[in-house]
Amino acid sequence: AQASPEARAMLLRVQSLQKEARKAASRPTAEQQRAKQQATQAKVQKKAAAKAADIAGWCFAPLDIAELASAAQEAVDDHWLWHRAGRQSGKTPLEPMPSSATKAAGLHVTVLLRVHECGARLRAACAAAPQPATLTVSDVFVERVERITDEEVWCVGLAFASPAIRALRDAWLAPLPREEWPTHCPYAGEGHASLAYVRGEYRDAAERRLAPIRARLVGAAITLPHVVFQDPRHGLCEQIPLGRQARSGSVRQDYRFVAILDFEKTCERDAVLSPQEIIEV
């Protein structure tokens, strides 16, 4: 027997009410919505903080060691190289990292990371470096690049020993809790320079080729006249002399260009400075 029109209408009504009830049950409550919004906001803030930390100021020592580095770099055949995305070569440029206000490529030793200002603390740490400030090759290494997980990549580079870098780091890190030290100095040694990136299947060949070069380079030393503080966020860059030079407060710097700026803008926090004129000296 067929249901009457009234029965069918009642059935449709019941089904509609059941559907609405299921929707209401799955809809988050006001408290759940607030919790979700707070979690989303916290996630955004965490990402922003991480991004800010990544582009915070840092301190490095440019390395003018092309003659030393080329001996190790030239031992690596081109077909061994792992090519980083967006780069033509798996070898590091042998020019010193330039002392500029923007990030660039070149040979350097990372001294400190996440340094938020070039203030009295950093200058005092540089003054604590013993003289002469030297950097001595302690090893020619071939080490696995742990941060690359989807491929087996090995780094060929030079490791250094430097009492000056160690003293600078220790002096700058001293006021901080020890658990924060790796944030600013994640390296166990006193410095290294990455020269080339080699695919996993050529690691043993690289080790064999570098063995005689290691014996020749270990013990070679260079002098470090200064370190560089760089803050790409604000376009800042400054050379800081090491040891007694830092204490004297007298630093000679040569400039090729002078930028004319609006003085009032320089008094505003986080203002964007647009040069009104750039003059070649």
Side-chain angles (χ1 to χ4, degrees), residues 142-169:
V142 182
E143 293 184 358
R144 178 74 183 268
V145 183
E146 299 294 342
R147 70 177 182 277
I148 301 174
T149 57
D150 56 339
E151 297 180 76
E152 184 182 342
V153 179
W154 294 75
C155 177
V156 174
L158 302 179
F160 302 103
S162 176
I165 295 294
R166 174 57 57 195
L168 191 166
R169 284 175 177 166

PDB file of all heavy atoms in Angstrom, residues 142-169:
ATOM      1  N   VAL A 142      85.396  15.780   4.588  1.00  0.00           N
ATOM      2  CA  VAL A 142      84.294  15.356   3.712  1.00  0.00           C
ATOM      3  C   VAL A 142      83.212  14.838   4.656  1.00  0.00           C
ATOM      4  O   VAL A 142      83.352  13.746   5.220  1.00  0.00           O
ATOM      5  CB  VAL A 142      84.724  14.263   2.720  1.00  0.00           C
ATOM      6  CG1 VAL A 142      83.553  13.892   1.804  1.00  0.00           C
ATOM      7  CG2 VAL A 142      85.921  14.718   1.892  1.00  0.00           C
ATOM      8  N   GLU A 143      82.150  15.598   4.861  1.00  0.00           N
ATOM      9  CA  GLU A 143      81.135  15.273   5.857  1.00  0.00           C
ATOM     10  C   GLU A 143      79.738  15.270   5.248  1.00  0.00           C
ATOM     11  O   GLU A 143      79.442  16.062   4.347  1.00  0.00           O
ATOM     12  CB  GLU A 143      81.181  16.269   7.021  1.00  0.00           C
ATOM     13  CG  GLU A 143      82.439  16.181   7.862  1.00  0.00           C
ATOM     14  CD  GLU A 143      82.406  17.117   9.050  1.00  0.00           C
ATOM     15  OE1 GLU A 143      81.404  17.858   9.194  1.00  0.00           O
ATOM     16  OE2 GLU A 143      83.365  17.114   9.840  1.00  0.00           O
ATOM     17  N   ARG A 144      78.889  14.406   5.773  1.00  0.00           N
ATOM     18  CA  ARG A 144      77.501  14.305   5.323  1.00  0.00           C
ATOM     19  C   ARG A 144      76.751  15.589   5.676  1.00  0.00           C
ATOM     20  O   ARG A 144      76.875  16.126   6.770  1.00  0.00           O
ATOM     21  CB  ARG A 144      76.817  13.096   5.983  1.00  0.00           C
ATOM     22  CG  ARG A 144      75.344  12.926   5.621  1.00  0.00           C
ATOM     23  CD  ARG A 144      75.171  12.401   4.209  1.00  0.00           C
ATOM     24  NE  ARG A 144      73.765  12.295   3.828  1.00  0.00           N
ATOM     25  CZ  ARG A 144      73.022  11.201   3.981  1.00  0.00           C
ATOM     26  NH1 ARG A 144      73.564  10.110   4.512  1.00  0.00           N
ATOM     27  NH2 ARG A 144      71.768  11.177   3.599  1.00  0.00           N
ATOM     28  N   VAL A 145      75.965  16.087   4.718  1.00  0.00           N
ATOM     29  CA  VAL A 145      75.128  17.270   4.942  1.00  0.00           C
ATOM     30  C   VAL A 145      73.804  16.785   5.518  1.00  0.00           C
ATOM     31  O   VAL A 145      72.937  16.291   4.783  1.00  0.00           O
ATOM     32  CB  VAL A 145      74.915  18.055   3.634  1.00  0.00           C
ATOM     33  CG1 VAL A 145      74.104  19.325   3.901  1.00  0.00           C
ATOM     34  CG2 VAL A 145      76.258  18.405   2.995  1.00  0.00           C
ATOM     35  N   GLU A 146      73.643  16.921   6.834  1.00  0.00           N
ATOM     36  CA  GLU A 146      72.484  16.346   7.525  1.00  0.00           C
ATOM     37  C   GLU A 146      71.175  17.035   7.170  1.00  0.00           C
ATOM     38  O   GLU A 146      70.111  16.428   7.205  1.00  0.00           O
ATOM     39  CB  GLU A 146      72.704  16.403   9.041  1.00  0.00           C
ATOM     40  CG  GLU A 146      73.917  15.630   9.528  1.00  0.00           C
ATOM     41  CD  GLU A 146      73.779  14.126   9.313  1.00  0.00           C
ATOM     42  OE1 GLU A 146      72.648  13.648   9.109  1.00  0.00           O
ATOM     43  OE2 GLU A 146      74.812  13.426   9.343  1.00  0.00           O
ATOM     44  N   ARG A 147      71.245  18.326   6.837  1.00  0.00           N
ATOM     45  CA  ARG A 147      69.997  19.058   6.573  1.00  0.00           C
ATOM     46  C   ARG A 147      69.337  18.640   5.261  1.00  0.00           C
ATOM     47  O   ARG A 147      68.159  18.920   5.045  1.00  0.00           O
ATOM     48  CB  ARG A 147      70.263  20.566   6.564  1.00  0.00           C
ATOM     49  CG  ARG A 147      71.057  21.065   5.380  1.00  0.00           C
ATOM     50  CD  ARG A 147      71.215  22.585   5.396  1.00  0.00           C
ATOM     51  NE  ARG A 147      71.936  23.085   4.241  1.00  0.00           N
ATOM     52  CZ  ARG A 147      73.250  23.129   4.130  1.00  0.00           C
ATOM     53  NH1 ARG A 147      74.001  22.705   5.139  1.00  0.00           N
ATOM     54  NH2 ARG A 147      73.833  23.605   3.040  1.00  0.00           N
ATOM     55  N   ILE A 148      70.080  17.976   4.375  1.00  0.00           N
ATOM     56  CA  ILE A 148      69.509  17.476   3.118  1.00  0.00           C
ATOM     57  C   ILE A 148      69.120  16.027   3.342  1.00  0.00           C
ATOM     58  O   ILE A 148      69.985  15.148   3.461  1.00  0.00           O
ATOM     59  CB  ILE A 148      70.519  17.613   1.964  1.00  0.00           C
ATOM     60  CG1 ILE A 148      70.925  19.078   1.787  1.00  0.00           C
ATOM     61  CG2 ILE A 148      69.912  17.067   0.665  1.00  0.00           C
ATOM     62  CD1 ILE A 148      72.030  19.286   0.769  1.00  0.00           C
ATOM     63  N   THR A 149      67.834  15.767   3.426  1.00  0.00           N
ATOM     64  CA  THR A 149      67.354  14.433   3.800  1.00  0.00           C
ATOM     65  C   THR A 149      66.857  13.611   2.615  1.00  0.00           C
ATOM     66  O   THR A 149      66.753  12.392   2.714  1.00  0.00           O
ATOM     67  CB  THR A 149      66.230  14.561   4.835  1.00  0.00           C
ATOM     68  OG1 THR A 149      65.179  15.385   4.302  1.00  0.00           O
ATOM     69  CG2 THR A 149      66.748  15.208   6.122  1.00  0.00           C
ATOM     70  N   ASP A 150      66.515  14.263   1.508  1.00  0.00           N
ATOM     71  CA  ASP A 150      65.962  13.511   0.383  1.00  0.00           C
ATOM     72  C   ASP A 150      67.037  12.979  -0.557  1.00  0.00           C
ATOM     73  O   ASP A 150      66.753  12.209  -1.473  1.00  0.00           O
ATOM     74  CB  ASP A 150      64.971  14.378  -0.402  1.00  0.00           C
ATOM     75  CG  ASP A 150      65.590  15.675  -0.883  1.00  0.00           C
ATOM     76  OD1 ASP A 150      66.621  16.089  -0.306  1.00  0.00           O
ATOM     77  OD2 ASP A 150      65.051  16.274  -1.833  1.00  0.00           O
ATOM     78  N   GLU A 151      68.308  13.395  -0.348  1.00  0.00           N
ATOM     79  CA  GLU A 151      69.430  12.906  -1.144  1.00  0.00           C
ATOM     80  C   GLU A 151      70.636  12.721  -0.220  1.00  0.00           C
ATOM     81  O   GLU A 151      70.697  13.306   0.856  1.00  0.00           O
ATOM     82  CB  GLU A 151      69.797  13.895  -2.248  1.00  0.00           C
ATOM     83  CG  GLU A 151      68.724  14.142  -3.280  1.00  0.00           C
ATOM     84  CD  GLU A 151      69.186  15.139  -4.325  1.00  0.00           C
ATOM     85  OE1 GLU A 151      69.993  14.749  -5.200  1.00  0.00           O
ATOM     86  OE2 GLU A 151      68.764  16.305  -4.256  1.00  0.00           O
ATOM     87  N   GLU A 152      71.597  11.907  -0.675  1.00  0.00           N
ATOM     88  CA  GLU A 152      72.841  11.761   0.076  1.00  0.00           C
ATOM     89  C   GLU A 152      73.859  12.732  -0.512  1.00  0.00           C
ATOM     90  O   GLU A 152      74.323  12.572  -1.642  1.00  0.00           O
ATOM     91  CB  GLU A 152      73.377  10.331  -0.011  1.00  0.00           C
ATOM     92  CG  GLU A 152      74.626  10.118   0.829  1.00  0.00           C
ATOM     93  CD  GLU A 152      75.188   8.714   0.704  1.00  0.00           C
ATOM     94  OE1 GLU A 152      74.447   7.819   0.245  1.00  0.00           O
ATOM     95  OE2 GLU A 152      76.374   8.524   1.064  1.00  0.00           O
ATOM     96  N   VAL A 153      74.180  13.766   0.273  1.00  0.00           N
ATOM     97  CA  VAL A 153      75.085  14.817  -0.183  1.00  0.00           C
ATOM     98  C   VAL A 153      76.195  14.981   0.851  1.00  0.00           C
ATOM     99  O   VAL A 153      75.945  14.986   2.059  1.00  0.00           O
ATOM    100  CB  VAL A 153      74.333  16.158  -0.374  1.00  0.00           C
ATOM    101  CG1 VAL A 153      75.304  17.244  -0.828  1.00  0.00           C
ATOM    102  CG2 VAL A 153      73.206  16.001  -1.384  1.00  0.00           C
ATOM    103  N   TRP A 154      77.440  15.130   0.358  1.00  0.00           N
ATOM    104  CA  TRP A 154      78.596  15.303   1.234  1.00  0.00           C
ATOM    105  C   TRP A 154      79.253  16.639   0.932  1.00  0.00           C
ATOM    106  O   TRP A 154      79.330  17.065  -0.229  1.00  0.00           O
ATOM    107  CB  TRP A 154      79.597  14.163   1.033  1.00  0.00           C
ATOM    108  CG  TRP A 154      79.042  12.843   1.483  1.00  0.00           C
ATOM    109  CD1 TRP A 154      78.115  12.072   0.842  1.00  0.00           C
ATOM    110  CD2 TRP A 154      79.357  12.165   2.697  1.00  0.00           C
ATOM    111  NE1 TRP A 154      77.822  10.953   1.567  1.00  0.00           N
ATOM    112  CE2 TRP A 154      78.570  10.974   2.724  1.00  0.00           C
ATOM    113  CE3 TRP A 154      80.216  12.419   3.764  1.00  0.00           C
ATOM    114  CZ2 TRP A 154      78.627  10.069   3.765  1.00  0.00           C
ATOM    115  CZ3 TRP A 154      80.280  11.514   4.808  1.00  0.00           C
ATOM    116  CH2 TRP A 154      79.492  10.356   4.804  1.00  0.00           C
ATOM    117  N   CYS A 155      79.692  17.301   1.984  1.00  0.00           N
ATOM    118  CA  CYS A 155      80.332  18.613   1.856  1.00  0.00           C
ATOM    119  C   CYS A 155      81.842  18.465   1.967  1.00  0.00           C
ATOM    120  O   CYS A 155      82.351  17.836   2.897  1.00  0.00           O
ATOM    121  CB  CYS A 155      79.817  19.571   2.928  1.00  0.00           C
ATOM    122  SG  CYS A 155      80.613  21.191   2.917  1.00  0.00           S
ATOM    123  N   VAL A 156      82.564  19.061   1.028  1.00  0.00           N
ATOM    124  CA  VAL A 156      84.017  19.158   1.090  1.00  0.00           C
ATOM    125  C   VAL A 156      84.360  20.556   1.592  1.00  0.00           C
ATOM    126  O   VAL A 156      83.853  21.551   1.057  1.00  0.00           O
ATOM    127  CB  VAL A 156      84.658  18.928  -0.293  1.00  0.00           C
ATOM    128  CG1 VAL A 156      86.160  19.188  -0.245  1.00  0.00           C
ATOM    129  CG2 VAL A 156      84.366  17.521  -0.786  1.00  0.00           C
ATOM    130  N   GLY A 157      85.170  20.641   2.622  1.00  0.00           N
ATOM    131  CA  GLY A 157      85.481  21.960   3.156  1.00  0.00           C
ATOM    132  C   GLY A 157      86.728  21.968   4.016  1.00  0.00           C
ATOM    133  O   GLY A 157      87.381  20.944   4.223  1.00  0.00           O
ATOM    134  N   LEU A 158      87.024  23.159   4.525  1.00  0.00           N
ATOM    135  CA  LEU A 158      88.158  23.355   5.421  1.00  0.00           C
ATOM    136  C   LEU A 158      87.639  23.646   6.817  1.00  0.00           C
ATOM    137  O   LEU A 158      86.742  24.488   6.993  1.00  0.00           O
ATOM    138  CB  LEU A 158      89.024  24.531   4.957  1.00  0.00           C
ATOM    139  CG  LEU A 158      89.607  24.469   3.540  1.00  0.00           C
ATOM    140  CD1 LEU A 158      90.408  25.729   3.248  1.00  0.00           C
ATOM    141  CD2 LEU A 158      90.477  23.233   3.361  1.00  0.00           C
ATOM    142  N   ALA A 159      88.191  22.969   7.819  1.00  0.00           N
ATOM    143  CA  ALA A 159      87.880  23.258   9.223  1.00  0.00           C
ATOM    144  C   ALA A 159      89.016  24.080   9.807  1.00  0.00           C
ATOM    145  O   ALA A 159      90.180  23.909   9.425  1.00  0.00           O
ATOM    146  CB  ALA A 159      87.696  21.966  10.008  1.00  0.00           C
ATOM    147  N   PHE A 160      88.685  24.978  10.733  1.00  0.00           N
ATOM    148  CA  PHE A 160      89.673  25.891  11.281  1.00  0.00           C
ATOM    149  C   PHE A 160      89.716  25.837  12.796  1.00  0.00           C
ATOM    150  O   PHE A 160      88.717  25.520  13.453  1.00  0.00           O
ATOM    151  CB  PHE A 160      89.364  27.338  10.868  1.00  0.00           C
ATOM    152  CG  PHE A 160      89.308  27.551   9.390  1.00  0.00           C
ATOM    153  CD1 PHE A 160      88.084  27.662   8.738  1.00  0.00           C
ATOM    154  CD2 PHE A 160      90.466  27.632   8.637  1.00  0.00           C
ATOM    155  CE1 PHE A 160      88.021  27.860   7.375  1.00  0.00           C
ATOM    156  CE2 PHE A 160      90.418  27.830   7.269  1.00  0.00           C
ATOM    157  CZ  PHE A 160      89.188  27.941   6.627  1.00  0.00           C
ATOM    158  N   ALA A 161      90.859  26.182  13.332  1.00  0.00           N
ATOM    159  CA  ALA A 161      91.026  26.436  14.764  1.00  0.00           C
ATOM    160  C   ALA A 161      91.367  27.908  14.920  1.00  0.00           C
ATOM    161  O   ALA A 161      92.183  28.444  14.156  1.00  0.00           O
ATOM    162  CB  ALA A 161      92.136  25.572  15.347  1.00  0.00           C
ATOM    163  N   SER A 162      90.744  28.570  15.893  1.00  0.00           N
ATOM    164  CA  SER A 162      90.994  29.996  16.073  1.00  0.00           C
ATOM    165  C   SER A 162      90.707  30.408  17.509  1.00  0.00           C
ATOM    166  O   SER A 162      89.532  30.540  17.894  1.00  0.00           O
ATOM    167  CB  SER A 162      90.134  30.824  15.113  1.00  0.00           C
ATOM    168  OG  SER A 162      90.302  32.209  15.358  1.00  0.00           O
ATOM    169  N   PRO A 163      91.731  30.628  18.321  1.00  0.00           N
ATOM    170  CA  PRO A 163      91.501  31.139  19.675  1.00  0.00           C
ATOM    171  C   PRO A 163      90.764  32.478  19.666  1.00  0.00           C
ATOM    172  O   PRO A 163      90.000  32.775  20.588  1.00  0.00           O
ATOM    173  CB  PRO A 163      92.916  31.289  20.239  1.00  0.00           C
ATOM    174  CG  PRO A 163      93.747  30.325  19.443  1.00  0.00           C
ATOM    175  CD  PRO A 163      93.156  30.335  18.067  1.00  0.00           C
ATOM    176  N   ALA A 164      90.978  33.290  18.640  1.00  0.00           N
ATOM    177  CA  ALA A 164      90.314  34.590  18.571  1.00  0.00           C
ATOM    178  C   ALA A 164      88.808  34.430  18.408  1.00  0.00           C
ATOM    179  O   ALA A 164      88.015  35.096  19.094  1.00  0.00           O
ATOM    180  CB  ALA A 164      90.891  35.418  17.422  1.00  0.00           C
ATOM    181  N   ILE A 165      88.385  33.559  17.494  1.00  0.00           N
ATOM    182  CA  ILE A 165      86.950  33.320  17.291  1.00  0.00           C
ATOM    183  C   ILE A 165      86.347  32.714  18.546  1.00  0.00           C
ATOM    184  O   ILE A 165      85.238  33.088  18.972  1.00  0.00           O
ATOM    185  CB  ILE A 165      86.715  32.392  16.088  1.00  0.00           C
ATOM    186  CG1 ILE A 165      87.173  33.063  14.791  1.00  0.00           C
ATOM    187  CG2 ILE A 165      85.249  31.985  15.994  1.00  0.00           C
ATOM    188  CD1 ILE A 165      86.378  34.272  14.390  1.00  0.00           C
ATOM    189  N   ARG A 166      87.062  31.780  19.179  1.00  0.00           N
ATOM    190  CA  ARG A 166      86.557  31.154  20.404  1.00  0.00           C
ATOM    191  C   ARG A 166      86.369  32.189  21.503  1.00  0.00           C
ATOM    192  O   ARG A 166      85.343  32.213  22.195  1.00  0.00           O
ATOM    193  CB  ARG A 166      87.524  30.055  20.854  1.00  0.00           C
ATOM    194  CG  ARG A 166      87.192  29.405  22.190  1.00  0.00           C
ATOM    195  CD  ARG A 166      85.811  28.805  22.200  1.00  0.00           C
ATOM    196  NE  ARG A 166      85.641  27.833  21.130  1.00  0.00           N
ATOM    197  CZ  ARG A 166      84.456  27.366  20.729  1.00  0.00           C
ATOM    198  NH1 ARG A 166      83.354  27.804  21.299  1.00  0.00           N
ATOM    199  NH2 ARG A 166      84.384  26.482  19.755  1.00  0.00           N
ATOM    200  N   ALA A 167      87.358  33.082  21.686  1.00  0.00           N
ATOM    201  CA  ALA A 167      87.261  34.103  22.728  1.00  0.00           C
ATOM    202  C   ALA A 167      86.120  35.073  22.444  1.00  0.00           C
ATOM    203  O   ALA A 167      85.378  35.481  23.355  1.00  0.00           O
ATOM    204  CB  ALA A 167      88.582  34.861  22.833  1.00  0.00           C
ATOM    205  N   LEU A 168      85.953  35.457  21.184  1.00  0.00           N
ATOM    206  CA  LEU A 168      84.860  36.370  20.804  1.00  0.00           C
ATOM    207  C   LEU A 168      83.510  35.739  21.133  1.00  0.00           C
ATOM    208  O   LEU A 168      82.641  36.369  21.759  1.00  0.00           O
ATOM    209  CB  LEU A 168      84.977  36.686  19.312  1.00  0.00           C
ATOM    210  CG  LEU A 168      84.129  37.799  18.700  1.00  0.00           C
ATOM    211  CD1 LEU A 168      84.645  38.154  17.315  1.00  0.00           C
ATOM    212  CD2 LEU A 168      82.643  37.423  18.586  1.00  0.00           C
ATOM    213  N   ARG A 169      83.327  34.500  20.702  1.00  0.00           N
ATOM    214  CA  ARG A 169      82.050  33.816  20.958  1.00  0.00           C
ATOM    215  C   ARG A 169      81.781  33.686  22.454  1.00  0.00           C
ATOM    216  O   ARG A 169      80.671  33.963  22.916  1.00  0.00           O
ATOM    217  CB  ARG A 169      82.058  32.424  20.314  1.00  0.00           C
ATOM    218  CG  ARG A 169      81.879  32.412  18.815  1.00  0.00           C
ATOM    219  CD  ARG A 169      82.033  30.998  18.295  1.00  0.00           C
ATOM    220  NE  ARG A 169      81.799  30.893  16.869  1.00  0.00           N
ATOM    221  CZ  ARG A 169      82.127  29.836  16.143  1.00  0.00           C
ATOM    222  NH1 ARG A 169      82.718  28.794  16.732  1.00  0.00           N
ATOM    223  NH2 ARG A 169      81.890  29.801  14.848  1.00  0.00           N
TER     224      ARG A 169
END
